[in-house]
Amino acid sequence: MVRNGALSLMVNSAMNNGLPFHANYELLTTWLKEDLNWDGMIVTDWADINNLYTRDRVAKDKKDAIRMTINAGIDMAMEPYDWNFCTLLKELVEEGEVPMSRIDDAVRRILRLKYRLNLFEKPYYDYNDFPLFGGAEHAAVALKAAEESMVLLKNTDNILPLAKGKKLLLTGPNANSMRTLNGGWSYSWQGDKADECATDYNTILDAFSNTFGAENIIYEAGVTYKQGGSWWKENTSEIEKAVAAAANADYIIACIGENSYCETPGNLSNLHLSENQINLVKALAATNKPIILILNEGRPRLIADIEPLAKAVINIMLPGNYGGDTLANLVAGQVNFSGKMPYTYPKEINSLVTYDHKPSEHIGRQMEGAYNYDAVVNIQWAFGYGLSYTTFAYSNLKVNKTNFTADDVLTFTVDIKNTGTRTGKESVLLFSSDLIASLTPDVRRLRAFEKVELQPGETQTVTLQVKASDLAFVGYDGKWILEEGDFLIQTGDQTLNVVCTNTKKWDTPNK
């Protein structure tokens, strides 16, 4: 039995093997409600009952779609367009197409959710109940989260941190924008209200002016985003102004990426960075002033042709209201980088893969005596990659049991030493690779991690635990299975082998 911590679940809008998830009785009822004994509420996504007949064509009309979804296990419909869901569902119950027991179950789950949220006693929140909201404590947490998530991807000749007193050109469409720091669903649907709602916080330009001195900052965007409905489009570029401004700068901070977006307005046909921004960086590189690229984006935009032009690259992603302050602190060296890449950053349009890909999706390599059928995947930066202003060395990886069964807990220890001259934090990532399996295994999987802070010269022993059952995978029959055989364990440059000595299969999803 699983703990009923989740109050409600929204169903994915896609499908599996041709069956839309909103009509999937096996997943919504058999697996979730029965096998896992989950007693929360299931709600549709936006108008997804309509999609069963307008898009997916598994239902003949709306009434038929309602019958399918409610019987599959949907408890509440997100119906944005009209009220006929109510009358059509009533007709289905009266006709015996939807049993009253299904209605009772849905109502019971909805009422249970409301009771757990205390909505009958207190239907509206009172701001006085949240005295810390927006206060100093939350601000400190937001700043720390941003500091530990930004990733230093390149630092040629240790150009960073930058010394005070140098002239910095701040350029690019993301240099003076709060909405790009926050992304979509922040303050408003597309994030377009952030610039007016977050005026108490600092853009990258504001933060660099505060940290390095306004007298040392030159601002010329070169490229800007359109306002209004075409948020993702750009105005006519003024690259020549940025190039002219670079003549008076020692360093160029190029803040590139994308505007805030979410859902359909943010859909892309490819991941290439805009032509204007590419041309901006190329033109600035021709000035021979060192460039620090700041990637402010919600997904990896392809930059393979301009990455070599930069001396340093920082991926700040969507850091929130304190993103500008955090970036300035990191670039100035007041804080050390400790973030790691949470995804694999592709180099080419056909190289968008997850870190736990299958071997056939891996970087192509010739096997001795065999033709290479592997897909060619070129990666800009790998999952888990990230630099620091100091260095770390791994040694002495050990495990409590080299032979194990499904009921065991594996305890790994590894020594981490700060071999540099600055205090720093290191994320210790433990990966496993199933060497032989009945289904092609993933290349590797992250199983445990721990972040530790080390003084220069300090060594710590890090302990990471993995339940052996977590090394199982879903077999061809849809059931969890842990098979006997060898596993390769890796953290840093350290590896060891462990062996499962027996096979175990679980009959339910709740292994």
Side-chain angles (χ1 to χ4, degrees):
M1 179 183 296
V2 296
R3 295 181 61 86
N4 290 299
L7 298 176
S8 64
L9 291 175
M10 180 183 290
V11 182
N12 187 281
S13 299
M15 62 183 63
N16 181 45
N17 292 331
L19 180 61
F21 286 114
H22 283 77
N24 195 317
Y25 179 88
E26 181 182 16
L27 294 182
L28 300 184
T29 296
T30 303
W31 282 28
L32 182 60
K33 293 183 175 180
E34 295 176 359
D35 290 348
L36 293 179
N37 198 29
W38 184 75
D39 64 358
M41 183 198 76
I42 301 176
V43 61
T44 72
D45 205 338
W46 181 273
D48 267 330
I49 288 181
N50 295 349
N51 285 335
L52 294 189
Y53 69 95
T54 61
R55 181 193 67 186
D56 302 327
R57 294 184 290 178
V58 296
K60 62 182 179 180
D61 53 27
K62 185 166 185 175
K63 186 174 181 178
D64 192 33
I66 294 172
R67 176 189 60 80
M68 294 175 66
T69 55
I70 301 303
N71 285 337
I74 293 294
D75 301 310
M76 178 179 286
M78 190 185 297
E79 173 56 80
Y81 301 124
D82 56 51
W83 292 96
N84 65 353
F85 168 85
C86 303
T87 56
L88 292 174
L89 179 56
K90 182 174 182 290
E91 290 177 8
L92 288 166
V93 174
E94 291 171 344
E95 295 164 2
E97 295 295 324
V98 173
M100 195 63 199
S101 59
R102 178 73 271 276
I103 301 299
D104 290 341
D105 176 63
V107 172
R108 185 179 299 111
R109 291 170 181 273
I110 294 169
L111 291 176
R112 184 185 294 128
L113 169 64
K114 291 183 176 183
Y115 274 114
R116 286 173 172 169
L117 294 175
N118 198 32
L119 295 182
F120 292 103
E121 296 295 327
K122 199 168 188 177
Y124 303 106
Y125 284 117
D126 184 346
Y127 287 117
N128 294 323
D129 293 338
F130 305 93
L132 299 181
F133 182 80
E137 293 91 341
H138 286 189
V141 173
L143 181 67
K144 182 179 177 61
E147 288 174 351
E148 298 205 16
S149 62
M150 291 187 183
V151 187
L152 179 60
L153 295 171
K154 184 178 182 179
N155 194 20
T156 305
D157 300 327
N158 293 317
I159 188 174
L160 298 179
L162 295 182
K164 299 288 183 67
K166 299 294 183 180
K167 294 289 186 180
L168 308 180
L169 169 62
L170 270 291
T171 187
N174 296 48
N176 193 30
S177 167
M178 285 307 302
R179 63 175 296 181
T180 60
L181 295 177
N182 282 281
W185 288 114
S186 296
Y187 295 102
S188 58
W189 178 43
Q190 292 295 323
D192 58 304
K193 298 295 190 296
D195 285 323
E196 62 184 82
C197 294
T199 54
D200 292 338
Y201 304 97
N202 294 320
T203 66
I204 295 174
L205 173 62
D206 296 332
F208 272 70
S209 297
N210 293 337
T211 299
F212 291 92
E215 70 280 5
N216 294 316
I217 301 299
I218 307 164
Y219 173 61
E220 192 61 62
V223 177
T224 56
Y225 298 118
K226 285 184 178 292
Q227 301 300 312
S230 301
W231 299 315
W232 54 93
K233 296 182 180 179
E234 296 169 354
N235 296 305
T236 301
S237 66
E238 297 180 320
I239 295 174
E240 68 282 354
K241 292 185 178 181
V243 171
N248 299 315
D250 298 305
Y251 297 95
I252 297 170
I253 313 295
C255 304
I256 61 175
E258 57 189 357
N259 209 347
S260 64
Y261 64 89
C262 64
E263 296 191 325
T264 301
N267 288 351
L268 293 173
S269 57
N270 65 70
L271 288 174
H272 288 292
L273 190 66
S274 76
E275 184 178 1
N276 281 341
Q277 295 187 57
I278 292 290
N279 290 338
L280 172 65
V281 175
K282 288 181 176 179
L284 291 170
T287 67
N288 293 318
K289 298 296 178 72
I291 296 175
I292 293 101
L293 280 185
I294 309 300
L295 308 180
N296 176 201
E297 54 197 21
R299 53 205 160 186
R301 304 304 292 267
L302 303 181
I303 59 167
D305 50 348
I306 61 173
E307 178 274 329
L309 305 178
K311 297 284 284 186
V313 181
I314 303 170
N315 189 9
I316 70 171
M317 293 166 278
L318 302 176
N321 283 332
Y322 291 93
D325 300 301
T326 295
L327 180 63
N329 292 341
L330 288 164
V331 169
Q334 297 173 6
V335 181
N336 200 347
F337 284 94
S338 65
K340 301 291 186 182
M341 282 297 296
Y343 54 85
T344 300
Y345 204 115
K347 183 176 285 189
E348 297 173 344
I349 197 66
N350 65 337
S351 299
L352 188 63
V353 296
T354 59
Y355 87 94
D356 57 345
H357 51 262
K358 301 297 183 183
S360 61
E361 301 166 331
H362 195 32
I363 297 173
R365 59 183 183 276
Q366 186 68 42
M367 300 174 63
E368 183 176 355
Y371 186 80
N372 178 18
Y373 288 97
D374 292 348
V376 176
V377 176
N378 292 319
I379 293 173
Q380 194 81 56
W381 294 286
F383 171 87
Y385 180 80
L387 302 174
S388 168
Y389 291 147
T390 190
T391 54
F392 301 94
Y394 287 64
S395 63
N396 203 27
L397 175 61
K398 296 180 179 179
V399 64
N400 63 328
K401 295 182 178 182
T402 55
N403 297 301
F404 66 91
T405 67
D407 299 323
D408 289 328
V409 174
L410 301 176
T411 301
F412 299 91
T413 58
V414 64
D415 294 336
I416 313 296
K417 181 179 182 180
N418 183 341
T419 55
T421 59
R422 296 186 53 144
T423 300
K425 294 181 179 181
E426 172 70 348
S427 291
V428 183
L429 310 179
L430 187 77
F431 295 93
S432 73
S433 298
D434 195 343
L435 299 184
I436 302 292
S438 57
L439 291 183
T440 300
D442 301 324
V443 171
R444 64 175 184 167
R445 293 290 303 274
L446 179 66
R447 298 301 184 183
F449 60 90
E450 183 72 39
K451 179 176 276 192
V452 294
E453 182 173 18
L454 298 170
Q455 302 299 316
E458 181 185 0
T459 299
Q460 283 190 32
T461 299
V462 176
T463 300
L464 299 168
Q465 289 192 326
V466 178
K467 293 192 299 183
S469 59
D470 286 345
L471 299 177
F473 62 93
V474 178
Y476 198 73
D477 59 0
K479 297 180 179 181
W480 285 95
I481 184 171
L482 176 62
E483 296 175 341
E484 62 179 89
D486 290 14
F487 289 81
L488 177 69
I489 305 298
Q490 178 181 5
T491 182
D493 59 357
Q494 300 288 294
T495 61
L496 58 77
N497 275 66
V498 292
V499 181
C500 179
T501 57
N502 71 325
T503 296
K504 182 174 180 179
K505 180 178 288 191
W506 290 265
D507 291 329
T508 70
N510 187 25
K511 68 180 180 62

